[in-house]
Amino acid sequence: MTAPAPAAMASARDAARDATPIVVGYVTLGLAAGMLLAAQGLAWWWAPVWSVVIYSGTMQMLLVPLAGAGEPLGAIAASTLFVSGRHAFYGLGFPLDRVRGRALVRLYAVHAITDEVYALLSAKDRHAMTSRYVLTVEVISHSAWVSGATAGALAGQWLADAFGERISLLGFVLTALFVVLAIENWRAHPDTAALCVGIMAGAVGLTMGGSAALLSALGALALGLIGLYAVRHRRAPGAEGAGDRGLGRVGAGRAGLEAADRDAAGPEGGA
């Protein structure tokens, strides 16, 4: 029985087929991001501008309260580094070598890398995909995010005009989003220690308050996770034993070589 042939990755139709799950998710989350922006009292047109220039769902949602509170650019830049700094490493596994075109085209291919796009493309055979396929996946995904965020901002603006200040209650969408993400993450990977680190980081942020709340919480979270990783790595079963076994193998190898030398030299010495 022959295995089914892999799906083609050449045309724009192939890209649209594979990007459909991303489109559904981006439109949904984009609506929430746009409504959050309107609830903060910002003009609706910030949604498409941020979606084109920033194009980072988590950071765009965090930027709304930061911009609304008038936080300094330094704090916003540091928060962006903490939240979206991982994107700098996506290029290591992203099939950028498959993208053909001018420098601007390749720069856009780098700019349009997101968690979902990276997960989709890195899991496929990079030698089977064409430049058109890669770029079309990115353009479709980016367009879905821009459309969803813009539609959400316009809907939020309409609700603000209809219900006035009560639209600010939509600001809870950010809290609800991260609560749902935390619950789903716990169901997939229940980790009490990591949960405690997160709670501790949140407590640090609440204690600091003001413009230092987010940065202090992110810093505490990073330090806590690094410490947790170091402790678990040290306590991992076989971590020390593996080193001892390695030294033992080296010692045994040396002893074997010395014995072989003695055996080889023995007959000559007797002669």
Side-chain angles (χ1 to χ4, degrees):
M1 182 177 180
T2 59
M9 293 179 290
S11 66
R13 179 177 298 180
D14 299 331
R17 176 201 62 215
D18 293 341
T20 298
I22 299 178
V23 170
V24 174
Y26 277 11
V27 170
T28 304
L29 289 177
L31 286 170
M35 288 189 177
L36 177 65
L37 184 144
Q40 194 67 32
L42 299 174
W44 70 268
W45 51 265
W46 280 113
V49 171
W50 285 358
S51 298
V52 170
V53 176
I54 301 174
Y55 191 30
S56 174
T58 305
M59 192 57 222
Q60 280 184 232
M61 290 190 172
L62 290 177
L63 181 60
V64 170
L66 291 176
E71 297 293 341
L73 289 178
I76 295 176
S79 301
T80 303
L81 179 62
F82 271 108
V83 174
S84 300
R86 67 188 185 280
H87 289 189
F89 300 96
Y90 283 171
L92 299 177
F94 185 77
L96 186 60
D97 58 302
R98 306 304 300 170
V99 178
R100 301 289 183 264
R102 297 182 179 180
L104 288 178
V105 175
R106 295 172 64 84
L107 286 174
Y108 174 78
V110 174
H111 171 65
I113 300 175
T114 62
D115 296 340
E116 293 76 16
V117 171
Y118 175 81
L120 172 65
L121 296 180
S122 63
K124 296 182 177 295
D125 182 7
R126 64 192 304 149
H127 300 292
M129 61 181 68
T130 63
S131 177
R132 174 178 294 182
Y133 174 85
V134 174
L135 290 172
T136 305
V137 166
E138 292 188 313
V139 170
I140 290 176
S141 302
H142 198 175
S143 300
W145 177 257
V146 174
S147 301
T150 303
L154 289 173
Q157 189 71 51
W158 178 82
L159 290 173
D161 295 338
F163 300 100
E165 294 183 356
R166 284 180 291 178
I167 187 65
S168 61
L169 296 175
L170 285 176
F172 187 72
V173 69
L174 183 60
T175 304
L177 172 65
F178 284 104
V179 168
V180 171
L181 291 177
I183 292 174
E184 291 299 320
N185 187 71
W186 175 262
R187 288 179 176 177
H189 308 285
D191 190 330
T192 304
L195 178 63
C196 292
V197 170
I199 294 174
M200 176 202 68
V204 170
L206 289 174
T207 302
M208 296 297 295
S211 60
L214 181 60
L215 287 180
S216 58
L218 291 173
L221 180 63
L223 291 176
L225 292 177
I226 292 173
L228 179 62
Y229 172 81
V231 170
R232 287 180 171 176
H233 182 70
R234 182 176 301 177
R235 294 180 179 178
E240 296 181 357
D244 295 339
R245 289 193 298 272
L247 292 175
R249 286 193 295 270
V250 172
R254 289 178 179 176
L257 290 174
E258 292 175 358
D261 291 340
R262 286 195 301 268
D263 292 341
E268 295 177 1

